[in-house]
Amino acid sequence: MNRIQLACYGLIASAFVLTAILLVQLDARFTSEADAALVIARENFTLLTARTRQNEEALFVLDNANERLLIYRLDLGKQALLPAGAFSLPTLFQNAASGGTGNRGARQRR
């Protein structure tokens, strides 16, 4: 085996290693992870903010005492927090367990 063949084998081996590293990085990019730093849990309430649409944030409030999920969206133009929906948690979980869409009968207007 001469130097050129050894160099070729070394380049091929490094190409396989770099391809494996690239595939591992791409796989990690497509897995979703929850970030618990964005959650505030105090007494009977759990608060979470999340991006719901392009350039839109929403505040999700879990009222543990009343078993309700309240959703508020932020309107930057009006600088206001507007109610977007209120859901009964037992109804949401019943619909999910029965294979429903999750919002049939669960949404309640204030």
Side-chain angles (χ1 to χ4, degrees):
M1 183 180 295
N2 61 22
R3 286 182 165 174
I4 293 178
Q5 288 176 332
L6 188 60
C8 287
Y9 291 134
L11 287 173
I12 291 171
S14 66
F16 281 118
V17 169
L18 290 174
T19 302
I21 291 172
L22 179 65
L23 290 176
V24 168
Q25 291 297 322
L26 285 177
D27 183 49
R29 189 174 193 181
F30 292 114
T31 59
S32 60
E33 295 180 10
D35 188 2
L38 302 175
V39 177
I40 299 172
R42 299 276 191 258
E43 297 178 18
N44 288 328
F45 291 98
T46 304
L47 304 156
L48 164 73
T49 59
R51 176 174 286 154
T52 52
R53 293 185 187 148
Q54 186 77 17
N55 297 326
E56 183 177 287
E57 291 278 330
L59 172 66
F60 296 86
V61 179
L62 279 174
D63 181 357
N64 298 325
N66 297 318
E67 298 180 334
R68 311 243 322 136
L69 170 65
L70 307 169
I71 304 172
Y72 298 92
R73 66 179 184 85
L74 181 62
D75 187 353
L76 290 176
K78 296 178 182 176
Q79 293 185 348
L81 199 59
L82 305 172
F87 300 91
S88 168
L89 289 177
T91 307
L92 281 176
F93 283 108
Q94 282 177 344
N95 288 342
S98 66
T101 60
N103 62 359
R104 218 174 330 146
R107 185 174 184 150
Q108 299 172 354
R109 291 284 176 182
R110 295 176 91 198

